[in-house]
Amino acid sequence: MNDSPLLSFRGVTRQYRQQSQPALDAVDLDVERGELLALIGESGSGKTTLLRLAAGLEEPDSGSVYLEGKCIAGDECPGAMVPPEKRRLGLVFQDGALFPHLTVSKNVAYGLKKFDRDRVAHCLETVGLTGKEKRYPHELSGGERQRLALARAIAPEPRLLLLDEPFSHLDPILRRKLREEIRCILESLDQTSLMVTHDPEDALAVASRVAILDRGRILQTGVPSEVYRNPADQYCAERFGPANRVVDRESGKNIWKRPEDARWIACEIADEGDMVTVEHVRPMGHIYEVRVAPDEYDGETWLCFLKDASLIEPGERGRVAWRGSPEPVAWKS
Amino acid sequence: MKRLLFRAFPFVAGLMVAGTTVSFAQDDELTLYTQRHYAFDEELQQMFTEETGIKINVVKANADELITRLQEEGENTPADLYMTADGGTLSRAAEAGLLQPIQSEKIMESVPKFLRDPDGRWVAITQRARVIVYSKDRVAPAELSTYENLADPSWRGRIAIRSSSNSYNQSLMTTIIAANGAEEAEKWAAAVRKNMARPPQGSDRDQIRAIAGGLADVAVVNTYYVGLLETSEDAKDREAAAAVKLFFPNQEGRGTHVNISGIGIVKGTKKADLARKYIEFLLSDKVQNMISEATFEYPAAKTAKWSEMQEGWGEFKADEVSMSKLGALNAEAIRMFNRAGWE
Amino acid sequence: MAITGTAEAPTSPEAQLPPRSTRKAWLRWPTDRWGFGVAVVAGLILLPLIAVLLYLGRESVEWDHLVSTVLGGYLKNTLILVLAVTATVLLMAIPPAWIVTNYDFPGRWLFSWALVLPLAIPTYVAAFVFYQGPEAAIPLLIWIRTNISIDAFFVAELVIRYGLLIVMLAAVLYPYVYLACRAAFSQQSRTVIEAARCLGDSPRKVFFGVALPMARPAIAAGTALVIMEVINDYGAVHFFGVPTLTEGIFRTWFNMGDKVSALRLAGIVMLAVAVLLVVEQLLRGRARYVEAEASSVPLVRTKLPRGRGMFAAMVCLVPLSIGFLYPVTRLVMWAWANLTSDAGVPIRAEALGRGLLLAAGTATAVTLIAAIFMYAVRLRTSATRSSLGRVAGLGYATPGAVIAVGVLVAVGAFDRLDLPWVPIISGTLFAIAFAYMVRFFAIPLQFTRAGMDRLGKPLEEASRLLGKSPMATFLKIDLPLLRGPLIAAGMLLFVDILKELPLTLILRPANFETLATTAFSLASEARLQACAVPSLVIVIAGGIGLVVMNRWMSAPSSHE
């Protein structure tokens, strides 16, 4: 079993002419075999650029990109960049980029050297589109289109699958469903994948490892639940949802706590937690969102998710304490 | 199958275009660059081919455009003969070194001296008199005398004449410069412009029609247009021709301005012999007589006969100033027109 | 090299340097075959233009004279024509485009495609037909001369002549703006328009305040084409006696024999057009790709009540009548008179076949070359490539005669090289086909660019990632999906080549007559009835081409 990473970036920098900041700034990153690495970041963080560099749709300005240990672009192999069609990668585009003038089966077969009916049938079955061979992309529903995009990408058995915000065009319910299905498919194929998304739930649901980008730099990598629990800074914390800055009593450092870890202590004179004033309370179906203003954090507020806040009123005074980290969950890394 | 057709079509199209491009002129063919565009000319060419078996390939364009083309094509030009409808242009072509001496006594002697190049590089095929036509109803012949007289204020608002961009007017202008000097000529042009019934527009025919319509009383046109209008298929044209009469100016003096339609052999052609044959053909009595009937131009050959209509217009004295002299003055003529505001 | 990602942000000085490629972007040689191909094609197209420019540096004999005498007049006339024709075109084109898109009235469907037809009529043919106008006005003018004053007469004559020329040019050129506006108006987001209506804007306010500004880039593009045609026209202005810059070019070149001065005039023309294109680019550049999403809301046209409906039909009928119905009727009458007389048919079947074949073959070849060229330009974003892409369209801004001479010079020089096995090109169909390509390349370029913009990069990228080379991607993805714009471009090219006159007159090979040259020489002999026959054939062929083009343009380019 090969130990070396499938895809590597070393010191990769990319700057667009119109912008003053580089899109990617000396980035180092590895994608290990068999893993699904999710790149998370705001728009403009450089995650899509990284993906396109991997695909060969763009070239790095400095640094190098390696595929299976061999340089495919950059300083290490100047003038010898491997063009996209020779890299044997798959890419699932944001909006599918399906060929409108070809049928479903022709779309899937597009990347094959010869039209292989069995392979096409197998791929369609894998994604659950059997029976739709003769349809055209515009005749499929949104979810079916993404599945077709996946089938087309995996048909030529790519070494690495790239996914560019594959669920962003779908409504939330469909998104949940498709996420789960795709994760199963990719796992069953043992397909190494690199996914770009701005939706933290995608990463948490699908990825085995996550990397957070901000303005061209990687801030943190790790198992999703780990990063969720222990974000490196505010930016990383906020990728996954609201986070509250809490100053750790012992070390004096900032730590980041999730709203669901908040505990409400109605008593003002308890010796754990901090004094807060409640600003507002909103029932959100499964939990209550309660925003409080801690006394010792001038101007800042905390967001707390409480199971039952029916008795809490705005203006009330109380204490909020934070639960500790849970045991690490077994996760594929 | 559709894909095959789709892919093949551009190649087929390309081949068709390419196939028709490569044109190797045969040995028994001549290529003629000409300004003239009469159907009659085509008949002549066919006649020549029937008689001699030599085919004539024709390129028709404006004479000056043809000069540019000859210059750029240089040695590689496919042209053997160059023909114009204006003497000034022909002599300019000769001066530019584009023509070679015809080298045929027979050809040269068949036309009067002033209708051929002193250095033997070109010869006239037809003559085209540029005359004054006047409204039968509104003008008495006694009022007319010379071209110069048209500058007189009594003609204010009564003259119709075409644009100065036309070579016929330019050649006329050169004779005025040659006869009266630059200063007088420029004054003349300015005065005539002032006398025009409307700014210069349209062709010679339109000037005649303007007289018929009552807009102008006199016009300066080439004689053969009257003939063409008289025999036109359009009733309106015939009416217009019927409303005017011809007058040959400057009969007391140097004579009426006569321009020529002429031909020369292109320098560098390998078929000078064949070319000479064609010129001889054009100057033969048979053809020259046909010309006067067909296009109403005056034939150039000394021994040719006039048509009835031309007899009807009467004999006239022609200005025998040499064409080559006029060619050199053309640029000056144009400048004068520009300064005089004659568009 | 098993390094796991770290969270360290690099602060090394190397990271601060501008990346290698942006520093040297301009110096990059084409590193691949596609780039090389782009350079070759662009170079070939520019060759005649460069040949022309090389002359500019030489001594000019007549330039000072020209400047002091006629140049002012040329500039003034050109400017008057451009402004007046543009204004008239806007009036003739925009209202019909708006009402045909948004309202339902008797004859709407017919008007929607018929309004394009005047484009089939070449300006010189329109000139023959409309020049009867000043003649018909002679009685009126004489009346003015006798009853008012001779000066009033001159003024009236001028007004009638210029006025007629302006109206005539506008009437045959307005379809450019009409087409552009139709496309813009029908694509405008229904939601924006409806939002404006909900906010209480009257239809008039919606039109002037929302729809018209949104259509500005399209209007600018169409107007640019109109202005270029006006500046380049030779036949009509010559006929009507209105000396413009282009007429000046012809006169200076061929009459005065001063190539250099003529080219300087041509340079002025090209400069004016370049300015025009820049302005047009500015007007549309900001609106980046305001190609609003093809609305899923179907277009609902308001049905007009009878009175308004008739008025709407009138508004559409006026430009159509002036620009198409009247000229065609005259032509048909003349042609009928000619064909039923003994004069014989003035066209030879040979000429007809040759002309159509050359136009069709050249149009097909040039469209395909342009498509591949555009594809290659977009393959890699680089400043040099995109400027080459723009520059290849310059021929459209250049007067046909100038291009003809440029080609003559370039081809002549090439022939003088005397390369073995290579036949002489001067005087062949290849030379004239090449000249057509230089002249009209901009048309398929524009269509292809717009089509490829709409197609977007993702499909091409998907194909590349699935293992297809750039060439395979072009053949399998771009070409099939661009069928609509390509056919439309090919049709427009076909029509334009059929109509083309000045370039053809200069460059045509021996024994070669096109319909255009036949019509022109017959008209010069004032054999109007005979001239009507080839003119009519041009108009019919052009009309069919335009209708087909229109159909392909409104059909969606992909199967969405």
Side-chain angles (χ1 to χ4, degrees):
Chain A
M1 177 74 187
N2 217 323
D3 269 345
S4 64
L6 184 58
L7 176 72
S8 301
F9 296 92
R10 286 287 170 271
V12 165
T13 303
R14 175 95 177 99
Q15 168 128 24
Y16 292 111
R17 238 170 315 169
Q18 305 96 307
Q19 296 170 349
S20 48
Q21 298 276 64
L24 289 175
D25 199 349
V27 165
D28 290 336
L29 186 64
D30 286 338
V31 180
E32 307 287 348
R33 279 170 211 272
E35 75 170 343
L36 197 159
L37 175 63
L39 297 176
I40 301 188
E42 287 182 328
S43 351
S45 54
K47 52 193 201 299
T48 308
T49 309
L50 208 56
L51 203 72
R52 291 173 66 84
L53 284 174
L57 298 172
E58 294 187 25
E59 267 187 88
D61 295 325
S62 60
S64 306
V65 184
Y66 301 85
L67 192 59
E68 284 183 336
K70 280 209 233 64
C71 174
I72 54 172
D75 294 332
E76 274 287 309
C77 45
M81 171 179 133
V82 178
E85 59 268 20
K86 300 238 166 69
R87 291 191 184 192
R88 275 188 50 223
L89 305 172
L91 178 42
V92 177
F93 287 79
Q94 203 165 15
D95 57 359
L98 301 168
F99 302 131
H101 60 303
L102 301 177
T103 58
V104 164
S105 62
K106 285 238 172 71
N107 259 285
V108 174
Y110 190 81
L112 303 174
K113 295 263 187 304
K114 262 186 342 176
F115 187 83
D116 182 349
R117 188 155 292 152
D118 295 326
R119 178 82 190 137
V120 170
H122 176 77
C123 290
L124 286 177
E125 200 190 317
T126 310
V127 301
L129 281 178
T130 319
K132 307 231 180 201
E133 287 86 352
K134 296 287 180 205
R135 300 272 180 95
Y136 281 92
H138 65 272
E139 293 169 344
L140 301 177
S141 71
E144 288 172 331
R145 280 195 224 153
Q146 285 306 86
R147 284 191 241 165
L148 174 57
L150 182 64
R152 183 180 70 176
I154 60 174
E157 291 180 273
R159 302 190 260 191
L160 171 65
L161 184 65
L162 307 167
L163 300 109
D164 187 3
E165 309 214 25
F167 312 113
S168 59
H169 278 188
L170 308 171
D171 64 82
I173 300 176
L174 192 54
R175 184 182 288 172
R176 265 176 200 270
K177 182 158 166 271
L178 212 55
R179 260 198 316 241
E180 190 51 38
E181 286 182 23
I182 289 190
R183 185 176 71 81
C184 286
I185 294 171
L186 294 180
E187 269 182 23
S188 71
L189 294 172
D190 203 15
Q191 174 76 57
T192 315
S193 314
L194 178 61
M195 179 172 77
V196 154
T197 178
H198 61 268
D199 184 345
E201 280 195 32
D202 287 348
L204 289 167
V206 174
S208 56
R209 198 158 66 98
V210 90
I212 303 183
L213 279 99
D214 179 29
R215 284 171 288 185
R217 307 204 176 131
I218 295 192
L219 297 184
Q220 187 176 11
T221 62
V223 173
S225 56
E226 261 305 305
V227 178
Y228 182 82
R229 289 267 150 236
N230 299 313
D233 63 15
Q234 177 172 14
Y235 180 87
C236 294
E238 284 178 348
R239 292 309 98 221
F240 289 94
N244 302 303
R245 183 178 75 90
V246 178
V247 179
D248 183 42
R249 296 258 161 106
E250 289 157 15
S251 59
K253 286 213 195 110
N254 284 340
I255 50 174
W256 300 91
K257 288 295 185 184
R258 298 290 171 190
E260 63 269 18
D261 291 334
R263 269 172 48 230
W264 175 256
I265 302 165
C267 172
E268 292 190 26
I269 49 170
D271 56 355
E272 55 173 342
D274 298 279
M275 255 336 257
V276 304
T277 313
V278 176
E279 286 195 352
H280 61 254
V281 180
R282 169 117 200 112
M284 286 293 280
H286 52 293
I287 41 102
Y288 283 77
E289 278 190 17
V290 180
R291 192 163 281 283
V292 303
D295 291 349
E296 288 174 24
Y297 294 77
D298 231 353
E300 284 175 53
T301 59
W302 286 342
L303 184 64
C304 310
F305 293 163
L306 302 175
K307 265 265 155 239
D308 182 8
S310 43
L311 298 175
I312 304 179
E313 303 260 312
E316 233 178 272
R317 302 267 299 157
R319 300 185 80 86
V320 166
W322 301 97
R323 295 195 191 93
S325 311
E327 286 88 61
V329 175
W331 199 274
K332 182 168 148 188
S333 54
Chain B
M1 189 57 207
K2 217 167 39 164
R3 265 170 119 213
L4 192 66
L5 276 177
F6 188 63
R7 296 252 194 115
F9 184 53
F11 289 108
V12 174
L15 278 175
M16 287 194 297
V17 174
T20 42
T21 64
V22 189
S23 56
F24 298 110
Q26 305 300 326
D27 280 335
D28 56 351
E29 287 182 7
L30 281 172
T31 302
L32 167 68
Y33 279 14
T34 175
Q35 180 184 10
R36 292 169 60 97
H37 46 239
Y38 301 117
F40 172 65
D41 281 30
E42 283 169 29
E43 284 174 35
L44 283 181
Q45 284 148 16
Q46 268 164 17
M47 253 172 68
F48 180 72
T49 309
E50 277 164 23
E51 277 183 25
T52 61
I54 303 173
K55 181 163 182 275
I56 310 232
N57 301 316
V58 180
V59 175
K60 286 184 244 175
N62 177 282
D64 301 285
E65 292 167 4
L66 289 171
I67 288 186
T68 306
R69 196 159 156 175
L70 283 170
Q71 279 170 330
E72 292 308 327
E73 289 172 347
E75 287 171 4
N76 292 321
T77 180
D80 304 303
L81 290 158
Y82 175 67
M83 191 161 175
T84 69
D86 169 66
T89 328
L90 193 55
S91 107
R92 262 189 293 139
E95 293 307 314
L98 297 170
L99 304 175
Q100 59 171 283
I102 298 183
Q103 289 176 345
S104 160
E105 287 274 332
K106 181 167 167 219
I107 289 178
M108 287 296 146
E109 290 301 318
S110 56
V111 305
K113 204 144 160 229
F114 76 101
L115 292 180
R116 59 184 195 242
D117 179 40
D119 296 317
R121 293 166 299 186
W122 49 263
V123 68
I125 304 292
T126 75
Q127 301 181 61
R128 315 165 124 221
R130 196 151 181 78
V131 300
I132 298 180
V133 290
Y134 60 95
S135 160
K136 272 194 205 148
D137 306 327
R138 300 186 291 278
V139 177
E143 298 176 50
L144 303 164
S145 57
T146 62
Y147 299 112
E148 287 81 353
N149 170 257
L150 290 175
D152 190 85
S154 63
W155 291 110
R156 180 106 209 275
R158 299 167 70 188
I159 304 183
I161 188 167
R162 67 192 296 186
S163 161
S164 64
S165 62
N166 178 260
S167 53
Y168 306 151
N169 280 347
Q170 286 163 18
S171 289
L172 175 61
M173 186 64 171
T174 59
T175 65
I176 307 233
I177 300 176
N180 305 331
E183 216 182 299
E184 282 302 313
E186 192 162 334
K187 284 202 208 136
W188 175 83
V192 171
R193 176 63 184 88
K194 278 221 186 67
N195 286 349
M196 286 190 204
R198 63 178 184 191
Q201 55 191 266
S203 68
D204 272 359
R205 261 177 254 242
D206 296 308
Q207 315 313 319
I208 300 179
R209 291 210 198 101
I211 296 180
L215 191 62
D217 293 337
V218 294
V220 177
V221 300
N222 288 354
T223 52
Y224 54 85
Y225 282 114
V226 179
L228 288 171
L229 280 178
E230 257 181 59
T231 55
S232 158
E233 24 186 57
D234 189 345
K236 279 224 299 264
D237 282 349
R238 296 196 292 269
E239 281 170 29
V244 301
K245 270 181 108 134
L246 244 76
F247 177 83
F248 292 96
N250 295 61
Q251 290 301 293
E252 310 291 321
R254 62 180 186 272
T256 299
H257 168 59
V258 156
N259 202 338
I260 61 163
S261 186
I263 193 168
I265 303 183
V266 173
K267 193 169 187 177
T269 173
K270 315 255 186 334
K271 304 188 195 156
D273 292 332
L274 295 181
R276 273 191 281 273
K277 276 217 172 86
Y278 187 61
I279 302 181
E280 279 174 19
F281 169 76
L282 289 176
L283 286 172
S284 64
D285 280 346
K286 179 174 75 174
V287 173
Q288 290 284 304
N289 293 341
M290 284 171 70
I291 287 177
S292 21
E293 300 286 343
T295 62
F296 306 108
E297 297 170 276
Y298 291 103
K302 291 178 193 160
T303 50
K305 286 204 298 238
W306 284 7
S307 69
E308 240 185 80
M309 189 181 300
Q310 287 164 337
E311 303 273 351
W313 294 335
E315 297 244 344
F316 65 96
K317 180 174 177 198
D319 183 353
E320 295 193 1
V321 65
S322 102
M323 284 283 136
S324 21
K325 196 164 168 206
L326 299 181
L329 290 170
N330 208 30
E332 186 56 35
I334 298 178
R335 271 181 244 136
M336 279 189 196
F337 278 138
N338 286 342
R339 288 195 290 263
W342 180 330
E343 301 97 323
Chain C
M1 282 193 120
I3 307 172
T4 48
T6 58
E8 229 72 71
T11 49
S12 55
E14 284 85 69
Q16 312 304 321
L17 273 179
R20 191 189 50 184
S21 68
T22 54
R23 262 186 284 146
K24 289 207 189 141
W26 284 101
L27 296 179
R28 275 238 187 100
W29 285 108
T31 48
D32 58 321
R33 289 172 304 182
W34 289 94
F36 187 67
V38 166
V40 165
V41 172
L44 277 178
I45 291 186
L46 283 179
L47 211 56
L49 299 177
I50 293 177
V52 159
L53 286 176
L54 283 178
Y55 267 95
L56 281 180
R58 301 198 189 169
E59 279 277 309
S60 148
V61 183
E62 313 282 1
W63 183 250
D64 296 322
H65 161 79
L66 286 177
V67 169
S68 60
T69 52
V70 285
L71 187 59
Y74 293 157
L75 286 171
K76 193 179 68 159
N77 278 327
T78 309
L79 200 61
I80 292 177
L81 273 189
V82 162
L83 291 174
V85 171
T86 305
T88 317
V89 160
L90 292 177
L91 277 174
M92 278 188 176
I94 300 184
W98 178 251
I99 51 183
V100 162
T101 311
N102 290 303
Y103 296 99
D104 203 5
F105 54 92
R108 189 207 80 85
W109 178 80
L110 188 73
F111 284 124
S112 69
W113 57 265
L115 278 166
V116 177
L117 290 175
L119 216 49
I121 303 196
T123 48
Y124 48 89
V125 168
F128 309 149
V129 174
F130 278 81
Y131 191 63
Q132 308 300 305
E135 296 218 332
I138 286 182
L140 171 66
L141 287 171
I142 295 180
W143 184 91
I144 295 181
R145 184 171 67 182
T146 37
N147 293 3
I148 306 186
S149 80
I150 207 167
D151 290 313
F153 159 74
F154 281 129
V155 169
E157 194 272 336
L158 207 72
V159 166
I160 291 182
R161 194 155 44 92
Y162 273 66
L164 211 59
L165 176 62
I166 290 170
V167 169
M168 178 203 95
L169 283 176
V172 297
L173 293 177
Y174 79 81
Y176 282 125
V177 176
Y178 171 77
L179 275 175
C181 281
R182 273 284 309 213
F185 288 148
S186 32
Q187 282 167 355
Q188 274 166 358
S189 178
R190 308 300 315 151
T191 42
V192 171
I193 304 276
E194 278 153 11
R197 293 296 293 275
C198 287
L199 287 170
D201 282 348
S202 67
R204 172 178 304 181
K205 257 183 124 187
V206 170
F207 176 67
F208 283 106
V210 179
L212 207 54
M214 271 171 75
R216 226 176 35 195
I219 297 180
T223 312
L225 287 173
V226 169
I227 295 182
M228 281 198 275
E229 293 266 359
V230 170
I231 295 181
N232 275 314
D233 169 70
Y234 173 63
V237 297
H238 184 76
F239 231 78
F240 277 72
V242 176
T244 59
L245 280 171
T246 303
E247 165 102 19
I249 295 174
F250 270 81
R251 283 201 205 191
T252 314
W253 199 321
F254 300 120
N255 279 178
M256 298 179 88
D258 186 354
K259 240 186 269 186
V260 181
S261 293
L263 288 173
R264 289 199 191 166
L265 288 177
I268 296 182
V269 168
M270 287 164 72
L271 191 67
V273 175
V275 167
L276 182 73
L277 290 176
V278 166
V279 168
E280 184 229 329
Q281 187 63 13
L282 285 177
L283 275 181
R284 67 145 73 165
R286 286 297 188 73
R288 199 53 187 118
Y289 226 92
V290 187
E291 180 83 15
E293 299 223 341
S295 225
S296 47
V297 178
L299 193 59
V300 173
R301 295 197 181 91
T302 323
K303 191 157 164 64
L304 288 176
R306 156 127 9 120
R308 293 255 181 103
M310 296 316 279
F311 180 65
M314 280 297 122
V315 169
C316 293
L317 199 57
V318 166
L320 186 60
S321 313
I322 306 180
F324 189 76
L325 295 174
Y326 170 66
V328 168
T329 315
R330 284 313 294 264
L331 286 175
V332 167
M333 278 167 40
W334 281 337
W336 182 254
N338 173 264
L339 292 173
T340 50
S341 74
D342 307 319
V345 180
I347 337 172
R348 278 200 230 110
E350 206 191 324
L352 183 69
R354 271 240 180 93
L356 288 176
L357 203 64
L358 180 67
T362 311
T364 314
V366 172
T367 305
L368 282 171
I369 296 177
I372 301 183
F373 180 78
M374 197 75 239
Y375 179 73
V377 163
R378 293 165 69 99
L379 212 47
R380 189 179 292 201
T381 39
S382 87
T384 25
R385 275 211 210 186
S386 42
S387 28
L388 281 180
R390 300 238 158 239
V391 142
L394 268 183
Y396 203 68
T398 318
V402 174
I403 292 186
V405 178
V407 169
L408 269 180
V409 173
V411 163
F414 177 78
D415 284 340
R416 278 191 276 276
L417 292 177
D418 239 336
L419 299 175
W421 299 115
V422 176
I424 305 267
I425 305 184
S426 300
T428 62
L429 275 179
F430 185 77
I432 198 175
F434 174 59
Y436 285 144
M437 174 160 126
V438 173
R439 172 93 174 91
F440 293 121
F441 207 53
I443 297 180
L445 275 189
Q446 282 287 70
F447 276 79
T448 323
R449 179 180 286 134
M452 286 185 175
D453 277 346
R454 240 184 314 186
L455 211 55
K457 290 231 140 202
L459 288 180
E460 290 177 12
E461 289 173 348
S463 170
R464 293 289 297 280
L465 277 157
L466 286 165
K468 304 297 181 208
S469 67
M471 186 47 136
T473 304
F474 176 73
L475 290 173
K476 286 178 152 230
I477 303 296
D478 288 87
L479 219 47
L481 288 175
L482 286 176
R483 217 173 32 181
L486 285 179
I487 294 188
M491 281 290 150
L492 197 54
L493 211 50
F494 173 69
V495 171
D496 271 343
I497 294 181
L498 265 189
K499 286 163 42 176
E500 207 288 328
L501 189 62
L503 188 158
T504 316
L505 281 175
I506 298 177
L507 273 182
R508 54 186 166 150
N511 297 342
F512 194 79
E513 286 284 344
T514 64
L515 290 166
T517 57
T518 314
F520 187 72
S521 51
L522 287 172
S524 317
E525 290 174 50
R527 291 177 53 195
L528 288 179
Q529 292 172 332
C531 154
V533 178
S535 303
L536 210 50
V537 178
I538 296 178
V539 171
I540 292 175
I544 297 178
L546 280 174
V547 169
V548 173
M549 174 199 88
N550 207 21
R551 233 205 90 231
W552 278 101
M553 267 173 68
S554 38
S557 61
S558 51
H559 294 236
E560 310 281 358

